[in-house]
Structure formats: structure tokens, C-alpha cells
């Protein structure tokens, strides 16, 4: 089970969360990564935790002011990137372009989608993983694995029908070890979460709770 902690633009200390994630990962043997703001990628990567970007743009080097270049985040220490998070939606052609750009820079990719139909379309683009995240549950206290387990199972089936090598993560409302356990039972091989760790009073304790059933 892979745990990917998205720090979004929350007012947390990214180095504190990253350090806690690295320590919990080393102690538990569970793969944990942290996805900070682009400006914090280098600082987070220096902690030794697996580091992901929150977004990369579908462009190469050139006249692209304000873009997030895949090569730049890779050079800063990122090993992977989210694409098409529900708070950073892209057109299908741009999702494809961002996945290709990430591949060019050697970044692992996870394309986010809202439902199983979109998961199937995303899987057809050949990312390393897809993540199903119903927007109405993002940032809430109820996890997708408990509120709508069918959507997770259907997403796993949709991705597998297109490309069995594409892993399926689930997100939205994940905040406890029970949520992680339930996601695994439904066929997910990873989870994507944010507020459950980034807004926790004690990020290390939150992470320890997430890995406890694993």
C-alpha cells in the first residue's frame, strides 16, 4: 500500500511533515511520499522522503512563463507527480501532455479522476497510476472507501479493463488506518490524502495511525 500525502496549499510546515513521513516509512516499511508546493520540493526532498510534485504542465523548455516544468521539479528532487487533481483540472489533451512530459523527465505519474468512467479514460493514457476522488468527499470526514465503496471497486475494474499495469489509488476523506485498510480490501493499491495529515495537530501520530493496520 502506497500513501501519498498531498500538502496542497495548507499552512503547514512541509519539512516537519516530510520528516515525520520519512521516519514513519522507515519504521513501518510502508511506502510514504509527500507532495508539497512546487517552491518546497527541494526542501522536502532533502529530508529523504519520497517527494512528488502536485502538478506539471504539458510543455517542454521554452517560452512558457508561469508553467511548472517536469524537468525542473525532477531536478529539485521530485520522483513523481500528480496530474489532473480535482483542484487543478486539465483538458484530456493536456492530461496526456502532462503525462508525456513527466515521463520525459523520469517522473512517476498518478492521474486523478472523479469516477470510474474517467478512470478508464485516464488509464488509457498510460500513467503509472490513477486515483479516484469524488470531489464532494475531498477534504471531508467521510472516506470514499466507506461512503461509496462501489466507486472504488468499479474504478479498479475500469482501469484493469484498459491496462492491468496501471495501479489504482483512492482518495477523498481518507484519515485513518481503518480507511486505508478498507481501501485495500476494495482493490486499491494506494491512497491519496491531504487534510488528514497536513492539518493534523500531530502529523507523525496521524501517519502512524494510517500505517498501523499495514
Amino acid at each position: 500500500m502506497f500513501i501519498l500525502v498531498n500538502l496542497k496549499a495548507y499552512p503547514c510546515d512541509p519539512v516537519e511533515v516530510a520528516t515525520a513521513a520519512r521516519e514513519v516509512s522507515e519504521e513501518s516499511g510502508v511506502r510514504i511520499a509527500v507532495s508539497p508546493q512546487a517552491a518546497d520540493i527541494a526542501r522536502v526532498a532533502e529530508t529523504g522522503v519520497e517527494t512528488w510534485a502536485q502538478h506539471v504542465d504539458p510543455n517542454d523548455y521554452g517560452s512558457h512563463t508561469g508553467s511548472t516544468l517536469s524537468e525542473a521539479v525532477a531536478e529539485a528532487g521530485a520522483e513523481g507527480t500528480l496530474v489532473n487533481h480535482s483542484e487543478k483540472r486539465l483538458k484530456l489533451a493536456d492530461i496526456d501532455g502532462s503525462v508525456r512530459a513527466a515521463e520525459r523527465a523520469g517522473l512517476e505519474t498518478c492521474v486523478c479522476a472523479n469516477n470510474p468512467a474517467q478512470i478508464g479514460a485516464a488509464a488509457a493514457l498510460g500513467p503509472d497510476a490513477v486515483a479516484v476522488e469524488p470531489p464532494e468527499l475531498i477534504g471531508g470526514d467521510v472516506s470514499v472507501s466507506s461512503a461509496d465503496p462501489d466507486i472504488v471497486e468499479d474504478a479498479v475494474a475500469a482501469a484493469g479493463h484498459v491496462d492491468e499495469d496501471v495501479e489504482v489509488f483512492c482518495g477523498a476523506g481518507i484519515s485513518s488506518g481503518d480507511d486505508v485498510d478498507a481501501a485495500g480490501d476494495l482493490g486499491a493499491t494506494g491512497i491519496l490524502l491531504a487534510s488528514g495529515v497536513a492539518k493534523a495537530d500531530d502529523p507523525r501520530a496521524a501517519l502512524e495511525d494510517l500505517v498501523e493496520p499495514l
Side-chain angles (χ1 to χ4, degrees):
M1 180 64 73
F2 175 42
I3 296 175
L4 178 54
V5 181
N6 178 12
L7 301 185
K8 300 190 176 183
Y10 288 134
C12 60
D13 182 342
V15 172
E16 178 189 2
V17 176
T19 300
R22 187 204 71 225
E23 292 173 350
V24 172
S25 179
E26 291 174 347
E27 293 166 7
S28 65
V30 176
R31 182 186 174 198
I32 303 175
V34 174
S35 181
Q37 287 279 297
D40 294 321
I41 287 174
R43 290 199 300 148
V44 166
E46 286 172 0
T47 68
V49 76
E50 182 177 335
T51 304
W52 281 49
Q54 295 181 5
H55 165 79
V56 294
D57 284 298
N59 55 267
D60 202 336
Y61 291 100
S63 302
H64 305 291
T65 301
S67 65
T68 301
L69 184 67
S70 289
E71 284 80 359
V73 300
E75 289 171 10
E79 300 176 46
T81 185
L82 296 173
V83 176
N84 195 50
H85 189 276
S86 66
E87 296 159 0
K88 189 70 173 177
R89 300 295 298 275
L90 302 173
K91 296 178 180 178
L92 186 61
D94 288 335
I95 297 172
D96 186 34
S98 290
V99 170
R100 303 285 83 78
E103 290 175 345
R104 187 182 67 231
L107 296 170
E108 191 170 340
T109 52
C110 174
V111 177
C112 301
N114 293 346
N115 55 56
Q118 291 183 13
I119 285 290
L125 301 177
D128 295 290
V130 290
V132 59
E133 288 193 302
E136 64 273 15
L137 297 178
I138 292 176
D141 297 324
V142 180
S143 73
V144 61
S145 54
S146 59
D148 195 353
D150 288 347
I151 198 172
V152 180
E153 290 184 319
D154 291 347
V156 171
H161 181 72
V162 174
D163 186 342
E164 293 183 350
D165 292 329
V166 175
E167 299 204 42
V168 180
F169 305 159
C170 79
I174 302 288
S175 62
S176 71
D178 288 341
D179 295 335
V180 176
D181 205 27
D185 289 343
L186 295 170
T189 57
I191 62 160
L192 180 60
L193 79 159
S195 58
V197 172
K199 297 175 73 174
D201 292 333
D202 186 342
R204 181 186 174 92
L207 287 162
E208 289 174 337
D209 179 61
L210 286 168
V211 304
E212 193 276 330
L214 305 176

